[in-house]
Amino acid sequence: MVKQKPFSAIPLAGALGAEIHGVDLAKPLDRQTVSGLRQALLDHLVLVFRGQSITPAQHLAFAKLFGDIVPYPYVQGLEGHPEIIPVVKLEHEIVNFGGLWHADTTYLEHPPMGSILVARELPPYGGDTLFANMYLAYDSLSTGMKKMLGGLIAVNSSAKKAVTATRVVNKESKAKEDPTTPREAEHPVVRTHPETYRKLLYVNGAHTVSFKGQRAEESAPVLKYLFQHQTKPKFTCRVQWQPGTIVFLDNRCVQHNPVNDYHGFKRVLHRITLAGDRPA
Ligand code: CO
């Protein structure tokens, strides 16, 4: 007898994203569900769970089913749960932590495989997150462009001006490391996903500064084109956070952009980041 799938995945948009129905993340998950969710993440890139109620300890237990947890260099974790990073925007703050298109920490040698975000405190409106599919961004390039990019290495830095401005540390997210000390890593512009073996575009507007062996101003025109291309609406989906929403994203092939449209209100997400391999 064929075992019934333990949950259903309803696509959110044509490009990526699916809502997962039929899983309670507060309960222990069996092996079939865990491997099903892992496959769903590879298929849909962003998984959205609704109506969940989990403690930080349950958040941690869920994340550990999918990999090793890595700390974030720039923000202190929760008291008692240092692996959980509070992503906080306060009422009076105008800048938004991470408020532009990016993949997380691609300036590290081993950027994270993914993140699991839990909505903890939401504004009455706004504060959605946009996601973009980097497989589609790559697939839709011309053959000539793919060929050119195939041989290039990108230099990624934590010190790009537009980003450091968004990392202003507020009272509730204490700094761990001086954000003015830049971190840098070189990764292929076209990355092969280590689990799906599909090619994807692996530069992002927040962290990629140039192609290796080129001056910043020589790389700039092509990078500018790619940053615009890879975030076209047809490659994206939009997630509206609700109390009880949990999002699991594949940081290897997805970029995200938290929309900063809720000035005057506070928003708190809890984030756990999973260890990734070296991009190749
Ligand atoms: Co981010």
Side-chain angles (χ1 to χ4, degrees):
M1 207 178 92
V2 181
K3 249 193 164 176
Q4 199 163 5
K5 232 182 147 192
F7 58 84
S8 58
I10 316 287
L12 280 178
L16 77 166
E19 255 188 36
I20 303 298
H21 295 268
V23 187
D24 181 353
L25 301 187
K27 298 211 175 102
L29 303 179
D30 59 34
R31 247 198 337 210
Q32 194 200 358
T33 305
V34 174
S35 67
L37 289 174
R38 185 173 271 282
Q39 187 58 48
L41 183 70
L42 297 178
D43 294 342
H44 299 284
L45 290 60
V46 175
L47 304 182
V48 180
F49 303 85
R50 301 291 193 185
Q52 303 286 331
S53 176
I54 62 169
T55 62
Q58 288 166 331
H59 185 185
L60 207 54
F62 176 62
K64 282 181 175 161
L65 296 170
F66 297 93
D68 296 326
I69 289 155
V70 283
Y72 178 69
Y74 296 115
V75 178
Q76 196 98 58
L78 294 186
E79 201 151 343
H81 292 290
E83 309 94 329
I84 302 179
I85 297 298
V87 178
V88 180
K89 180 176 173 280
L90 296 176
E91 293 86 336
H92 61 274
E93 290 174 325
I94 298 184
V95 288
N96 195 2
F97 181 83
L100 66 179
W101 279 108
H102 65 284
D104 284 334
T105 56
T106 59
Y107 45 79
L108 302 178
E109 290 297 318
H110 298 83
M113 164 269 186
S115 283
I116 300 171
L117 294 145
V118 177
R120 291 296 181 196
E121 205 175 325
L122 297 173
Y125 52 77
D128 297 355
T129 304
L130 306 171
F131 297 92
N133 179 334
M134 291 306 109
Y135 295 125
L136 292 184
Y138 175 75
D139 291 344
S140 62
L141 292 169
S142 65
T143 314
M145 187 57 134
K146 284 178 183 160
K147 208 167 170 183
M148 183 183 94
L149 296 179
L152 293 176
I153 301 291
V155 179
N156 294 273
S157 167
S158 64
K160 239 183 134 171
K161 239 205 184 107
V163 190
T164 48
T166 73
R167 224 183 270 130
V168 171
V169 170
N170 58 46
K171 265 186 281 169
E172 292 191 27
S173 44
K174 286 167 273 168
K176 269 173 32 184
E177 195 175 289
D178 179 4
T180 53
T181 314
R183 283 164 176 259
E184 229 175 72
E186 294 173 355
H187 298 305
V189 171
V190 179
R191 176 180 185 179
T192 302
H193 192 288
E195 291 184 80
T196 65
Y197 305 109
R198 288 181 66 190
K199 285 184 177 179
L200 62 104
L201 187 56
Y202 200 62
V203 293
N204 72 87
H207 303 314
T208 307
V209 289
S210 64
F211 297 123
K212 187 181 177 183
Q214 297 188 13
R215 294 187 194 94
E217 60 267 38
E218 290 172 322
S219 308
V222 172
L223 283 175
K224 187 179 166 201
Y225 168 75
L226 294 175
F227 299 154
Q228 283 171 354
H229 167 77
Q230 68 190 170
T231 56
K232 283 180 183 156
K234 64 180 174 182
F235 303 138
T236 71
C237 72
R238 182 173 188 128
V239 173
Q240 198 169 25
W241 296 89
Q242 296 160 1
T245 298
I246 296 175
V247 170
F248 189 174
L249 70 100
D250 187 333
N251 189 57
R252 298 166 294 190
C253 53
V254 172
Q255 288 188 33
H256 55 281
N257 181 353
V259 180
N260 188 8
D261 62 348
Y262 53 99
H263 184 60
F265 298 105
K266 187 179 173 185
R267 178 176 177 273
V268 182
L269 303 180
H270 282 178
R271 181 173 89 188
I272 294 179
T273 300
L274 297 168
D277 56 1
R278 194 195 177 94

